[in-house]
Amino acid sequence: MMIHGLGFLGLSASLVLPWALTGLVQGERITESLVKNVRQSSTVQEMPLPSRKLISAVSTATTYYVSGTGNDRNSGLTTSSAFRTIQRAADLTRPGDTVLIMNGVYKNPRNAGSVVSIERSGNAKAWIRYKAYPGHLPKIQHNTWSGIGLSNGVSYIEINGLEIIGDNANISLGYALSQKWNSSNRRTNGSCINIEGRTRHAHHINILNNKVHNCGGAGIAVIGADYVKVDNNTVFNNSWYSVYGCSGISLLMNYNSDNNRGYKMFVTNNKVYNNRMYIPWIESGTISDGNGIIVDISKLGKNGPYRGRTLIANNITYRNGGSGIHAHESEHVDIINNTAYANGKSLNLTKGEIYAGYSSDVNIFNNIIYVSRGRNANSNMKNKNVTYDYNLYNKGARITMMGSHDVIGDPQFVNPSNADFRLKARSPAINRGYYWKDLKTDYAGKRRPAGSGYDIGAYEYR
């Protein structure tokens, strides 16, 4: 058996959903750049002059400011001359630019598909960044297809520190049920952040430190993309009302932008909870998803099987409708050091807290998998080379696949009823994990290992 650490090889692929609705997921198919942030640099051009001397013309990056009290007729170049809409800044961005978003509530114009539609790309040496202004808490609130939509083959983009809110608070379950055949309802089907790469494939996208909630569709949907990093986000109360079978964080149809077989897709350090389907998937008439995190149908795709690896690590998933984490029809996925607690709130979804189905080359190591008594902790549905080991299961869990180093016992969380999944001093998870050589920190950003060995779960005990 070969066990992959953070720099090893892998493969995967993709399948196409109906184009109609950006950012939504089908059945077990919806779906959220790992390239490290590259320091912005200016470009230098040299022009020949009659004196035969050279002069440098330096193109510098621009910072645009957006404020809830701004005006789109302003220059956008200072805090006192800020734009009112993020879209105004997005339409001006060039590689290396930064959009700093100050306090305010930013809503979609009537009939617009997004609050902000990002279609202009950065490059490898000059990312375009959309960030909260230091100390500010801007809110993007929408009742349309997406709060933030990324399309047109966009690349080298960072979304950092924003709150994206859907329209769930204004929708009743009765109204949503009355719309269960309406695939064109933006309010019920809209996602919070959507990367749409089915026609022109997106790559090198970082989704960092955001609060993403109350969208009828997906929380963070990544479709047909490559080199995506979804890190340190809080994703909750999504997927309730869409007819498309959505989840909290979804990676769907990962796309090969190159032949790299190392880690390229990352879902790390996220807290994902209470994402659930209440409306049946329109294709089957059943509740099918509402997972915390899913990697979906990467084995099939327009340009062949996905060749990169996907890392899902240090996440906390709890009380979602479907599984906490799973890989469906996917390959080359490592699910490492996560904590999944009491998911499967949709009682017809019984495949497990953390599991793989119809998949191959999947490693499921160092996870705390806690289920209600008699519920499935995992399953083995037509898998090949899927390995469970060094995991901790609670007593009363139904365990289909069990590794030689797996542990059964009470994880002894500090206060799970208040979502505090840190470990107490006597937890059987302490020092019982596998040494995953390149995973150097835990969910809280603390060093791994803290003791004589890796702990199991998202937290290292201190």
Side-chain angles (χ1 to χ4, degrees), residues 280-291:
W281 178 32
I282 195 170
E283 293 296 323
S284 66
T286 62
I287 302 297
S288 58
D289 286 84
N291 309 289

Side-chain angles (χ1 to χ4, degrees), residues 292-344:
I293 300 169
I294 180 172
V295 181
D296 209 354
I297 53 175
S298 70
K299 292 169 69 173
L300 304 173
K302 289 188 291 186
N303 72 336
Y306 185 65
R307 292 182 285 271
R309 291 200 79 82
T310 298
L311 177 67
I312 303 175
N314 287 344
N315 299 285
I316 297 172
T317 68
Y318 59 98
R319 301 189 184 103
N320 294 288
S323 60
I325 303 170
H326 83 265
H328 175 73
E329 290 192 53
S330 294
E331 299 177 301
H332 320 306
V333 180
D334 296 323
I335 303 173
I336 312 297
N337 275 106
N338 302 281
T339 295
Y341 179 87
N343 293 287

Side-chain angles (χ1 to χ4, degrees), residues 39-324:
R39 183 170 43 195
Q40 299 175 8
S41 62
S42 61
T43 58
V44 179
Q45 296 177 337
E46 294 185 335
M47 301 174 60
L49 299 177
S51 63
R52 297 187 180 178
K53 293 182 179 180
L54 297 178
I55 186 170
S56 294
V58 180
S59 175
T60 59
T62 300
T63 298
Y64 294 104
Y65 298 87
V66 183
S67 169
T69 59
N71 190 313
D72 280 358
R73 292 191 295 268
N74 290 340
S75 69
L77 298 177
T78 67
T79 56
S80 60
S81 63
F83 295 137
R84 177 60 182 92
T85 68
I86 306 168
Q87 191 64 57
R88 172 64 173 147
D91 290 342
L92 296 174
T93 53
R94 297 171 62 87
D97 289 351
T98 298
V99 178
L100 292 180
I101 305 165
M102 295 186 284
N103 285 337
V105 177
Y106 302 90
K107 297 184 178 182
N108 53 283
R110 184 177 178 85
N111 297 323
S114 304
V115 177
V116 55
S117 178
I118 299 173
E119 299 185 2
R120 296 167 71 96
S121 296
N123 61 50
K125 293 184 178 181
W127 289 55
I128 298 174
R129 293 179 168 85
Y130 295 79
K131 302 173 66 174
Y133 185 86
H136 284 226
L137 300 171
K139 301 178 187 298
I140 294 174
Q141 190 168 2
H142 76 96
N143 59 3
T144 188
W145 290 122
S146 60
I148 301 177
L150 299 93
S151 61
N152 196 37
V154 72
S155 60
Y156 300 104
I157 299 293
E158 177 184 304
I159 309 296
N160 193 333
L162 306 179
E163 182 174 2
I164 300 93
I165 310 164
D167 203 36
N168 284 359
N170 300 312
I171 299 173
S172 68
L173 178 58
Y175 172 76
L177 286 168
S178 75
Q179 300 295 301
K180 66 181 181 179
W181 304 113
N182 187 354
S183 61
S184 299
N185 190 320
R186 302 181 184 202
R187 294 180 63 202
T188 55
N189 292 307
S191 297
C192 286
I193 299 177
N194 178 64
I195 301 173
E196 174 53 70
R198 280 174 286 191
T199 300
R200 296 188 61 189
H201 300 285
H203 60 90
H204 294 90
I205 311 290
N206 286 349
I207 308 295
L208 313 174
N209 309 311
N210 301 288
K211 186 176 180 181
V212 176
H213 60 101
N214 285 86
C215 287
I220 300 174
V222 182
I223 308 177
D226 200 5
Y227 289 100
V228 177
K229 181 179 184 180
V230 180
D231 182 75
N232 199 38
N233 301 281
T234 301
V235 182
F236 61 98
N237 292 356
N238 302 296
S239 307
W240 290 5
Y241 298 137
S242 175
V243 303
Y244 283 91
C246 305
S247 293
I249 299 176
S250 307
L251 305 184
L252 176 67
M253 303 184 299
N254 295 345
Y255 176 80
N256 297 302
S257 65
D258 59 24
N259 291 317
N260 181 6
R261 299 188 177 218
Y263 280 118
K264 299 200 290 178
M265 305 293 284
F266 292 75
V267 181
T268 52
N269 307 300
N270 301 285
K271 181 179 287 187
V272 188
Y273 63 94
N274 203 30
N275 302 283
R276 180 173 179 175
M277 287 179 65
Y278 291 98
I279 306 303
W281 178 32
I282 195 170
E283 293 296 323
S284 66
T286 62
I287 302 297
S288 58
D289 286 84
N291 309 289
I293 300 169
I294 180 172
V295 181
D296 209 354
I297 53 175
S298 70
K299 292 169 69 173
L300 304 173
K302 289 188 291 186
N303 72 336
Y306 185 65
R307 292 182 285 271
R309 291 200 79 82
T310 298
L311 177 67
I312 303 175
N314 287 344
N315 299 285
I316 297 172
T317 68
Y318 59 98
R319 301 189 184 103
N320 294 288
S323 60

